[in-house]
Amino acid sequence: MIVISEFMDEEAIRSGLDGFEVLYDPSLVDRPDDLAVVIGQADALIVRNRTQVRGALLDAARNLKAVGRLGVGLDNIDVAACKARRIAVYPASGANDVSVAEYVIATAMLLLRGAYGASAEVASGAWPRNALIGREIAGKRLGLVGFGAIARETAKRAAALGMTIAAYDPYLPPSAEIWKQPWGPVEAQPLNALLAQADVVSLHVPLTDETHGLIDGNAIALMKKGALVINAARGGVVDEGAIAAALRAGHLGGAALDVFAEEPLTADHGSIFAGTPNLILTPHIAGVTAESNVRVSWVTVDNIRRHLTAA
């Protein structure tokens, strides 16, 4: 049996998993006791980022052979424990790169321009032109923290808009060919230099011991006045309280947070953002579009079908 505990494209389930017994219940992620019961019968489990595949759930998964991740981040999956149990883990690598890259560029343009929140005022007869004079993205410097596949898709779009691009990635030597992209070069920089020079800082790293709290108050203090921070990577990489404080103080010019240290964000934790200007908060949706949902679903279905058929 294949258990699917979070939402995915239903046509991919019907066509791609035809012939398998499938339990598709996107509400299982919010009913962990029920999930723990059915997982004992599962040969495969398909999840997004909220189902915690670790501890007691793995202990109950006596027959589990594979886990399909509808996305690329694996911080909700105990990969080492799965390996020890000979459970294969399949992320949907590459399937939502475009969606995240478009999110980063769109939110950067929105925050720089600052002209799109005045509909009610204009409709009421106000004409706040002077208050809405924003900034162009052309000529600005994009600083990418991490230079993996999604960062490269983001850089390609930024270059087309006339931005200059730098990136920090300690796992890529400055001599690596990857810095020489077809649409132009990307400057490899140390993190502090990147933060000091970038107009837009976008995060593209997993959550690890090394990246936890990477963009904290000290890092933000290095940034230019008016710089933007966009985190569509993983919650915990950015100190959310420090972002809110820097926005209120006027040091940062804007921020967009799609991921949070605690998800779903509770009203209590979310209160740290109350009254914060030039802030966009979205519910871990950067990588989820109608198109990417189809792509990640089919990549995952193909991975699971291939594994179970070969087993």
Side-chain angles (χ1 to χ4, degrees):
M1 181 170 70
I2 300 170
V3 174
I4 305 170
S5 63
E6 298 184 61
F7 74 91
M8 64 181 291
D9 181 66
E10 295 187 13
E11 179 56 33
I13 299 171
R14 282 191 296 269
S15 299
L17 296 178
D18 183 44
F20 290 91
E21 181 184 359
V22 176
L23 173 61
Y24 175 52
D25 185 348
S27 70
L28 276 172
V29 64
D30 295 311
R31 292 163 30 230
D33 291 343
D34 292 341
L35 177 57
V37 171
V38 298
I39 198 67
Q41 307 167 49
D43 299 294
L45 173 65
I46 294 176
V47 304
R48 284 190 181 269
N49 63 295
R50 291 183 57 213
T51 305
Q52 298 301 307
V53 186
R54 60 181 76 253
L57 186 65
L58 282 176
D59 290 340
R62 297 177 296 276
N63 300 313
L64 198 64
K65 301 175 182 66
V67 177
R69 167 72 168 91
L70 296 157
V72 293
L74 298 176
D75 44 290
N76 61 311
I77 300 172
D78 188 336
V79 176
C82 287
K83 184 177 181 180
R85 290 167 167 81
R86 298 185 179 180
I87 300 170
V89 177
Y90 293 103
S93 301
N96 63 1
D97 294 0
V98 168
S99 301
V100 179
E102 288 189 359
Y103 175 97
V104 172
I105 296 300
T107 51
M109 295 181 77
L110 186 71
L111 288 166
L112 283 167
R113 194 63 189 263
Y116 305 106
S119 297
E121 290 179 78
V122 174
S124 69
W127 206 244
R129 291 184 74 194
N130 290 349
L132 299 178
I133 297 175
R135 296 178 283 171
E136 296 175 351
I137 200 168
K140 299 297 184 294
R141 187 168 182 81
L142 173 64
L144 298 162
V145 180
F147 198 55
I150 294 175
R152 295 194 294 273
E153 288 288 345
T154 303
K156 178 170 68 175
R157 286 155 178 79
L161 291 167
M163 300 187 83
T164 61
I165 301 148
Y168 162 72
D169 195 316
Y171 299 102
L172 294 174
S175 59
E177 286 297 313
I178 203 166
W179 299 111
K180 301 172 185 176
Q181 291 291 318
W183 33 262
V186 174
E187 183 180 352
Q189 283 193 311
L191 180 60
N192 286 357
L194 180 144
L195 295 176
Q197 296 174 24
D199 298 290
V200 179
V201 174
S202 183
L203 285 300
H204 297 274
V205 293
L207 181 62
T208 65
D209 291 341
E210 290 75 24
T211 64
H212 187 271
L214 185 67
I215 305 302
D216 58 8
N218 292 329
I220 293 168
L222 295 174
M223 296 181 196
K224 297 164 66 171
K225 182 176 173 60
L228 310 182
V229 174
I230 300 173
N231 187 16
R234 281 293 176 267
V237 174
V238 169
D239 183 331
E240 296 156 8
I243 291 284
L247 288 168
R248 293 192 191 100
H251 178 65
L252 287 179
L257 303 178
D258 183 57
V259 289
F260 304 90
E262 179 183 349
E263 294 186 6
L265 191 66
T266 63
D268 182 59
H269 185 68
S271 65
I272 66 172
F273 300 113
T276 301
N278 302 322
L279 175 65
I280 296 171
L281 302 179
T282 51
H284 206 141
I285 199 72
V288 185
T289 59
E291 295 85 353
S292 74
N293 184 44
V294 172
R295 289 194 298 269
V296 300
S297 296
W298 275 104
V299 167
T300 302
V301 159
D302 288 344
N303 285 337
I304 293 299
R305 172 182 279 279
R306 185 165 51 249
H307 186 93
L308 293 183
T309 301

